[in-house]
Amino acid sequence: MSSSTADPRLAKAGPPRRPIRLSWSDERLRGIVWQLLVVGVVVAIFYWLWSNTVHNLEVRRIATGFGFLGREAGLPIGESLIAYDPTDTYRRALMVGVLNTLKVAVVGVVLATILGTLVGIARLSHNWLLSKIAGLYVEIIRDLPLLLQLLFWYTLLQSLPAPRQALNPVDGVFLSNRGLLLPFIEWMPAHNWALVALIAGAVGTLLFKRAMRARQYADGQPRRVWPAALGFMIGLPLLVWIANGAPFTPDIPALRGFNFQGGITMTPEYFALLLGLVTYTAGFIAEIVRAGIQAVNQGQWEAAQALGMRRGDILNRIVLPQALRVIIPPMTSQYLNLTKNSSLAVAIGYQDIVSIANTTLNQTGQAIEGIAIIMAVYLTISLSISFFMNWYNARIALVER
C-alpha cells in the first residue's frame, strides 16, 4: 500500500510503545518508583504532623472543632459594618473581622488603581517638574517598608489636635486624633430601592451598548449610547427615589461634649491603614502603568497625531486600551498583595480578621481552627480577585483569527 493511501490515524499514532520491563535499567520503571517514593514520603510527613498534633491536643485536653463559634465572644470591637455587641457569638465577631478586611481591600484597590494610574501617566508627562515629582514619589514609596509607612501614618494621625481643636478645612468635615469625619445622609429603605435601580440601570446600559454595537457592525452606522446610559443610571434611580418619597436628611457631624456625633467617621486606625496601603501599592501600580503605556508602539502616537487628535484623546482612546493587555496581569498581583498586606493592620490596632481571630484563639485555645479561618478568608478573597481579573484579562485579550 502506498503512503498516500495509508490510514492517517496510524500515522498519528506513531510506533507502538514497548512494555515496561521489571529492570532498574528501564527509565520508565525508575520514574514510577521515584514518584511513588516521593508521594509516600509526603504522605508520611503529613500523617506524622497530624498524629503528633492530635496527641498533643489530647494531652493538653484541648477540644477540637468549630463548636466554639456559637459561644459568647465577650470581645469589644470598636469598628464594624454590622451591628455587634460583646454578648454576640464568636461567629458574628469573626464576620465583623471579615467585613472590616473587605472594607480595606475593596476601597484600597479602587483608590490605589486611581492614584497609581495618575502617577504612572505623570511619569511620562512632558512637564519636567511633574515627571520628576512622580518619579521621586515612586522611588521613595517603593524603597520604604510598608510596616514603617503604616506606623508613620498612624503616628501622624495620633498627633493631630483633639476634637475641640479639630481641623475644619470644609464645612462639615473635621480631622482630629479621633479620625476623619464626613457628612452623610440618613440611609432609608428608599435608598435601598434606588441602589437596586442603579444596579439594574447599569445592567440595562451594558445590554443596550451591546445591541448598538451589533447594529453598528451590521450597517456601519455609529450610534450614541450616552443618552440611554443617562436615562438608565441616573433617571431610573431618581424616579425610584422620588416614587418612594424622596427622603433626604443630611447627617452632619457636630461637636457635642468631648467628641463628635453624626456623620460618618473614619477611625485613625482605618484611615492610617488605608493611606499606607494605597500610597504603597500605588507606587508599584504606577510603574506597571508606565511600562504598559511604553509597550505600545510609538507609531500609534504618531499616526493619531497625524489625524489631529489631542494627546489626552490619544491616551484615552488608543494607547490605554492597548496597554491594558500588558497592565492587567501584573496589576492582579498588586491587588493580591494589597489584600494580603492588610493583615499588617494588627500593628496599628485595626480590628480586621487577623486581629479578631488572634484574640479568639487566645481566649478559646482553638489555635488550629483560628489559623484555618484566617487562611480560608484570605484564600477566598484572593481567589475571587484572581478569577475576576483573569476573566477581564481574557475579555480584553486579542483574538487571533
Side-chain angles (χ1 to χ4, degrees):
M1 182 183 294
S2 64
S3 59
S4 60
T5 59
D7 191 345
R9 293 176 295 179
L10 296 178
K12 292 182 179 179
R17 299 185 63 182
R18 59 183 176 82
I20 298 177
R21 293 183 296 112
L22 297 179
S23 172
W24 192 249
S25 61
D26 192 321
E27 61 179 11
R28 289 184 293 169
L29 179 63
R30 292 200 307 270
I32 293 174
V33 171
W34 283 118
Q35 292 178 53
L36 291 175
L37 285 176
V38 170
V39 172
V41 170
V42 172
V43 171
I45 291 174
F46 274 100
Y47 176 76
W48 178 81
L49 291 173
W50 174 259
S51 61
N52 189 54
T53 301
V54 172
H55 173 72
N56 290 333
L57 291 174
E58 290 177 352
V59 170
R60 290 167 176 77
R61 297 181 179 179
I62 298 177
T64 58
F66 295 91
F68 70 95
L69 293 176
R71 300 207 303 261
E72 180 180 324
L75 173 63
I77 300 178
E79 186 172 355
S80 62
L81 290 175
I82 59 176
Y84 174 80
D85 189 84
T87 58
D88 289 331
T89 62
Y90 283 112
R91 183 182 294 106
R92 191 167 185 83
L94 291 170
M95 180 58 66
V96 171
V98 172
L99 293 176
N100 285 348
T101 298
L102 288 174
K103 183 170 70 170
V104 172
V106 174
V107 177
V109 162
V110 174
L111 295 181
T113 302
I114 296 173
L115 179 60
T117 302
L118 294 177
V119 174
I121 294 174
R123 288 209 65 184
L124 299 174
S125 173
H126 292 320
N127 186 311
W128 182 87
L129 180 60
L130 180 62
S131 176
K132 294 302 179 183
I133 291 176
L136 184 64
Y137 167 83
V138 170
E139 294 302 326
I140 292 177
I141 288 296
R142 295 199 308 166
D143 292 338
L144 291 176
L146 175 57
L147 181 58
L148 180 62
Q149 295 185 43
L150 293 178
L151 294 174
F152 166 77
W153 288 115
Y154 184 63
T155 304
L156 181 64
L157 291 174
Q158 288 294 324
S159 63
L160 290 173
R164 288 183 178 274
Q165 292 81 34
L167 303 177
N168 185 210
V170 182
D171 287 342
V173 178
F174 298 92
L175 184 62
S176 70
N177 57 10
R178 301 291 178 88
L180 176 66
L181 290 96
L182 302 169
F184 200 60
I185 60 172
E186 293 185 7
W187 200 259
M188 299 181 180
H191 299 132
N192 292 329
W193 288 111
L195 181 60
V196 172
L198 177 62
I199 296 173
V203 174
T205 301
L206 180 61
L207 295 176
F208 182 79
K209 181 179 179 181
R210 288 185 177 181
M212 294 301 101
R213 183 177 298 174
R215 290 189 178 183
Q216 182 178 351
Y217 289 158
D219 56 20
Q221 297 296 324
R223 291 172 173 82
R224 295 181 178 180
V225 178
W226 67 265
L230 287 177
F232 280 125
M233 301 189 64
I234 296 180
L236 181 60
L238 188 62
L239 288 175
V240 172
W241 178 61
I242 294 175
N244 284 273
F248 184 80
T249 305
D251 188 9
I252 301 175
L255 181 64
R256 293 173 184 166
F258 297 98
N259 202 355
F260 289 97
Q261 293 185 6
I264 183 171
T265 303
M266 295 176 63
T267 63
E269 294 79 14
Y270 175 75
F271 198 18
L273 180 63
L274 191 63
L275 278 174
L277 290 175
V278 168
T279 54
Y280 180 76
T281 308
F284 293 89
I285 291 178
E287 288 296 273
I288 293 172
V289 171
R290 180 180 66 85
I293 293 176
Q294 290 182 327
V296 178
N297 194 296
Q298 185 65 25
Q300 300 282 336
W301 290 90
E302 296 171 354
Q305 289 172 350
L307 293 175
M309 296 182 65
R310 294 180 298 179
R311 185 175 178 83
D313 292 335
I314 298 172
L315 185 65
N316 292 331
R317 296 176 179 272
I318 297 176
V319 176
L320 278 181
Q322 297 181 70
L324 281 177
R325 301 181 179 99
V326 179
I327 291 172
I328 293 300
M331 189 86 82
T332 303
S333 298
Q334 293 307 316
Y335 291 166
L336 296 175
N337 288 338
L338 186 148
T339 302
K340 292 180 287 188
N341 287 337
S342 67
S343 60
L344 294 174
V346 67
I348 57 176
Y350 180 71
Q351 292 176 296
D352 67 336
I353 183 60
V354 175
S355 175
I356 295 176
N358 282 336
T359 305
T360 299
L361 67 88
N362 287 330
Q363 291 181 350
T364 62
Q366 309 291 144
I368 296 177
E369 291 82 356
I371 298 299
I373 290 173
I374 296 174
M375 293 174 62
V377 169
Y378 279 104
L379 183 62
T380 303
I381 297 175
S382 298
L383 289 177
S384 300
I385 294 174
S386 297
F387 176 80
F388 174 78
M389 295 302 291
N390 289 336
W391 169 81
Y392 183 69
N393 186 45
R395 183 177 177 82
I396 65 173
L398 287 175
V399 179
E400 297 183 359
R401 297 182 179 179

